[in-house]
Amino acid sequence: MQHTVKHVYYECSIRSGVVTRRLASAYSGGKVEFLKPSVMTNIQPTGTEEIHPDVALVARAKEGDVAAFEILVRQYDRQVFRIAQHITQNREDAEDVVQDAFLKAYEKLNQFQGNSKFYTWLVRIAVNESLMRLRKRRTGRMVSIDEDVETEEGSMPRDLADWSPDPEMMYGQSELAEILRKTIQGLPPGFRTVFALRDVEGLSTEETAEALGLSVPAVKSRLLRARLQLRERLSRYFRKKNIDGGEK
Amino acid sequence: MTCTEFLAQLDDLLDEKIPGTMRDDLSQHLRDCGHCVITYNTTRKTIEIFRSHEIYELPDALRERLHAAILAKCRKGCS
Ligand SMILES: [Zn+2]
């Protein structure tokens, strides 16, 4: 399944002739070479700075070219859906967010100045739509990107058991996906949003900050807490078992 | 270096944004501290697992339906 996504990323990257560090680093095939430029050297054309192909598509869409906008929709709908699911944790809401985010982007296209990437701008719209829907479902409870930062949970690792060498092999694909969904669901919205943008979608820290309207240090502190909390929660499933099957 | 100091650098270490000298200090700590080795490895694995598994897939049928709805509204708005 992961290969589908990877394929899509590379496909559109290669087609457009530009591979950004973000895209190249996001899916480096599961290896831990997150930010190594070597990942992209064989794909990225050398020489002059390329203009991102979205720029031309956005310009055409601004002129009312719906076909150009459709290309942008096809390029980013999966990402918007994933981000919306991560934040809202609700399938219907995520569907609505995909529609509303793209429509809003289309309506506001003239306000898009091109100071940032179109994708980052779109993500910002999608995040705001997602948070709005989350708030609606959790009436009476405050929901914002700033929420829950006071919690100390996960700031210090507690479960220090080592994991099995191949933790993913301990479960079937669908069981594993369920574990991952359950695990990320338990994270405060502000944390899982940062994690989704930064680690799942592969935005840079700066882009994540821009998309969320947060400072870079704020993104970094949330990211660390999110990563440590997820690690802590996954430990329960992935820790090394004794030979008799019991936990150490 | 204490474990707390190590943890403060963990994100940058995971993102490979650590300058050389600092990297040496961190490596030294990893040689001496089994706990931080586990934290580092399992956190790295956590990110890797979430990156490589699609947990929220957009099914093709739904995708097409959403496209149709979005583009119909766009056309109405711009014509
Ligand atoms: Zn330590």
Side-chain angles (χ1 to χ4, degrees), chain B residues 1-4 6 29-30 32-37:
Chain B
M1 176 177 276
T2 65
C3 294
T4 310
F6 177 84
H29 185 77
L30 283 177
D32 301 337
C33 179
H35 283 172
C36 284
V37 169

Side-chain angles (χ1 to χ4, degrees), chain A residues 45-106:
Chain A
T46 48
T48 53
E49 189 83 11
E50 293 258 343
I51 294 166
H52 198 284
D54 287 356
V55 173
L57 290 170
V58 169
R60 278 168 56 196
K62 275 185 183 176
E63 303 290 312
D65 184 344
V66 179
F69 190 68
E70 185 174 5
I71 299 174
L72 291 167
V73 173
R74 289 196 175 273
Q75 206 147 275
Y76 297 125
D77 57 350
R78 289 194 176 91
Q79 294 90 313
V80 170
F81 182 73
R82 272 199 301 268
I83 291 166
Q85 274 269 27
H86 270 110
I87 299 174
T88 64
Q89 293 296 319
N90 180 288
R91 170 70 177 255
E92 284 167 34
D93 283 350
E95 291 177 23
D96 289 343
V97 168
V98 172
Q99 280 205 53
D100 293 351
F102 279 109
L103 286 172
K104 208 159 241 180
Y106 190 75

Side-chain angles (χ1 to χ4, degrees), chain A residues 137-195:
Chain A
R137 290 211 181 255
R138 301 170 59 175
T139 39
R141 288 186 64 185
M142 225 257 299
V143 177
S144 84
I145 273 311
D146 296 321
E147 190 196 19
D148 298 319
V149 289
E150 299 308 320
T151 174
E152 281 302 306
E153 194 205 335
S155 51
M156 205 61 193
R158 281 173 300 153
D159 191 334
L160 292 165
D162 202 2
W163 290 6
S164 293
D166 258 321
E168 292 150 290
M169 305 308 278
M170 296 165 75
Y171 301 93
Q173 280 294 318
S174 62
E175 200 183 355
L176 179 64
E178 193 51 44
I179 289 170
L180 298 180
R181 278 192 288 267
K182 218 161 50 185
T183 302
I184 202 150
Q185 198 167 22
L187 232 54
F191 287 12
R192 62 179 190 246
T193 303
V194 169
F195 182 80

Side-chain angles (χ1 to χ4, degrees), chain B residues 18-73:
Chain B
I18 296 280
T21 47
M22 181 57 98
R23 188 175 279 274
D24 293 344
D25 290 348
L26 293 170
S27 306
Q28 182 60 51
H29 185 77
L30 283 177
R31 272 193 290 276
D32 301 337
C33 179
H35 283 172
C36 284
V37 169
I38 291 177
T39 303
Y40 172 64
N41 284 334
T42 53
T43 307
R44 203 171 63 172
K45 190 72 193 168
T46 297
I47 298 167
E48 192 190 317
I49 288 175
F50 273 100
R51 266 186 197 182
S52 56
H53 291 268
E54 179 68 273
I55 57 171
Y56 300 123
E57 228 183 334
L58 180 56
D60 284 342
L62 171 61
R63 192 174 180 223
E64 294 310 317
R65 195 155 54 77
L66 288 171
H67 284 181
I70 293 165
L71 296 168
K73 284 189 184 153

